Amino acid sequence: MRASEIRDLIRVKPVELDATRRRLSACHDIADLSNWGRRLIPRPVFDYVDGGADEELSLRANVAAFRRYQFQPRALVNVSEPDASAAFLGSVAPLPLALAPTGYTRMMHPAGEIAAARAAGRRGLPYTLSTMATTTIEDVAGAAGGTDLWFQLYLLRDAGLNKELVDRAAAAKYRVLVVTVDCFVTGHRTRDRRNGLVIPPALTLSTLASIAGKPSYWIRMLGSPAIDFANFAGHDAVTIEGTGALFNPAITWDDIEELRSRWPGRLVIKGPLGPEDALQAVSVGADGVQLSNHGGRQLDRTVPPVEEIAAVREAVGPDVSVLVDSGVRHGSDIAVALALGADACAIGRAYLYGLMAGGQAGVDKALDILAGQFRRTMQLLGVRSVAELRSTGSSLVVRR
Ligand SMILES: Cc1cc2nc3c(=O)[nH]c(=O)nc-3n(C[C@H](O)[C@H](O)[C@H](O)COP(=O)(O)O)c2cc1C
């Protein structure tokens, strides 16, 4: 065989010169993005995202719980045009998915909240901005105005500040207020304590050691504006433990009722873990609940939220939006949640791994991965629409 004949048989892939694009094109699932995050980001910061509370039993159980469900697909259904669009909280999204609120997002990458909000908007998905965000309510709205923006509120000790945050979110046209009810004291994040994590990341002796290993992270960080609690400026740098002093352990359902009358948009309570609290949320005027154990970052040994979907749906009926988060790492997890009766899932770590692996392009990649996986799962299950997945779900999913 002559050399020219061999050349015709071999196709040389063009070399991607951009390192981020090259890296992301080699990521095929959320675990790949997480692995890159681990390699590129200093350990205390990666651990802040990746870790959970206490013994991390809930962190692991959340992921394992989704995987205990197995599919019993239907064959030979025409699935050439699956429709993954889903209605929840009075709006239709092309995918039953929202981005959950995450604090200190600029610590993972300077593009931070704006990158995540823009990536969500690009796919028509809602983005939830955290109270503990490192970009202001107004700046995110200005930079990602086309995105369906939700604002997450922690009820802080300072009642005036709570009101101010809610009014600012309303003025900036955030559509949904998400009130988190599982974080009135901070969970014991063991890895953060061991790592002595300080926000913003400080150049201590131990972090100096990580500079050599992760230069690109530090170059990016040192060249971008200082990280702070953007929505209540002037606060000093605090340890993760220190943030606990901001939260109010005395809040009750009465406080939510008061908020309801102040907030003009839809209201979601994030953190119920069973029918009783879901019903309580509805009784104080919530339009939806987000079943969550905070991704296993608060009370360890909680029931995995996915296990509570069916009971909550039965309790609240068909008209209340039921979202679920904690443990979603694959598009098929979303299919499981919907088959059990949820309207949509929310993700935290899945998009943060993308952010750490490649800024906004990394979040885009995470969303593309989940969207592709969900669509393929629908097709292989033999369902043509999200409505069909929800109505026939119980016959498609078996718990082992
Ligand atoms: C790094 C990080 C920061 C978070 N910060 C907040 C927050 O500020 N407010 C909040 O309500 N939930 C927060 N959460 C919880 C998420 O909103 C969500 O409930 C959780 O990440 C879902 O689990 P998953 O990471 O397995 O998807 C945070 C989660 C992570 C991973």
Side-chain angles (χ1 to χ4, degrees), residues 48-49 62 100-103 108 130-132 152 154 180 270 290 292 294-295 297 325-329 346-350 352:
Y48 168 66
V49 173
N62 287 340
T102 56
M108 292 118 217
S130 165
T131 294
M132 312 309 269
Q152 176 264 325
Y154 282 129
T180 300
K270 175 174 181 278
Q290 187 159 328
S292 171
H294 220 103
R297 300 166 72 83
D325 74 32
S326 302
V328 175
R329 301 286 184 275
I347 46 167
R349 293 183 184 85
L352 292 178

Side-chain angles (χ1 to χ4, degrees), residues 33-99:
L33 292 171
S34 164
N35 287 336
W36 271 110
R38 192 188 303 273
R39 283 167 74 168
L40 295 169
I41 304 295
R43 173 128 180 234
V45 176
F46 181 80
D47 275 353
Y48 168 66
V49 173
D50 193 56
D54 294 296
E55 297 167 278
E56 303 192 335
L57 297 172
S58 283
L59 173 66
R60 287 190 290 276
N62 287 340
V63 175
F66 273 106
R67 289 163 188 203
R68 271 201 293 276
Y69 291 90
Q70 296 175 354
F71 294 128
Q72 233 162 25
R74 300 302 309 272
L76 299 186
V77 179
N78 179 352
V79 289
S80 46
E81 282 179 40
D83 178 5
S85 65
F88 50 99
L89 289 166
S91 186
V92 178
L95 198 65
L97 188 67
L99 275 64

Side-chain angles (χ1 to χ4, degrees), residues 163-372:
K163 288 182 187 147
E164 185 202 308
L165 290 172
V166 168
D167 292 349
R168 282 170 59 193
K173 302 274 183 294
Y174 283 62
R175 194 173 69 83
V176 176
L177 181 69
V178 179
V179 183
T180 300
V181 295
D182 62 5
C183 193
F184 39 86
V185 296
T186 350
H188 183 279
R189 314 267 165 82
T190 320
R191 293 196 218 179
D192 294 348
R193 303 219 177 185
R194 290 203 182 110
N195 292 331
L197 179 65
V198 179
I199 292 176
L203 292 175
T204 60
L205 263 186
S206 60
T207 48
L208 273 175
S210 83
I211 291 182
K214 325 277 178 186
S216 59
Y217 173 86
W218 289 103
I219 291 166
R220 271 200 312 264
M221 289 304 286
L222 296 172
S224 54
I227 289 176
D228 61 1
F229 295 122
N231 287 314
F232 30 105
H235 235 278
D236 292 334
V238 286
T239 59
I240 283 279
E241 291 166 75
T243 58
L246 297 166
F247 300 136
N248 183 0
I251 56 164
T252 67
W253 290 103
D254 293 342
D255 298 290
I256 309 285
E257 253 176 317
E258 211 181 301
L259 260 185
R260 173 69 286 188
S261 54
R262 195 171 189 91
W263 175 252
R266 308 263 168 162
L267 178 73
V268 171
I269 303 299
K270 175 174 181 278
L273 272 175
E276 290 81 7
D277 275 353
L279 282 171
Q280 182 77 269
V282 174
S283 77
V284 295
D287 304 288
V289 287
Q290 187 159 328
L291 308 182
S292 171
N293 63 11
H294 220 103
R297 300 166 72 83
Q298 284 294 103
L299 178 63
D300 204 12
R301 304 188 191 213
T302 43
V303 287
V306 63
E307 302 286 14
E308 292 300 309
I309 295 172
V312 167
R313 173 57 75 198
E314 197 181 320
V316 301
D319 298 333
V320 173
S321 291
V322 176
L323 283 82
V324 63
D325 74 32
S326 302
V328 175
R329 301 286 184 275
H330 194 283
S332 59
D333 295 332
I334 307 171
V336 167
L338 265 71
L340 293 171
D343 293 295
C345 285
I347 46 167
R349 293 183 184 85
Y351 78 83
L352 292 178
Y353 292 141
L355 185 66
M356 293 190 290
Q360 183 177 332
V363 184
D364 284 335
K365 181 77 190 203
L367 299 181
D368 288 349
I369 286 172
L370 291 170

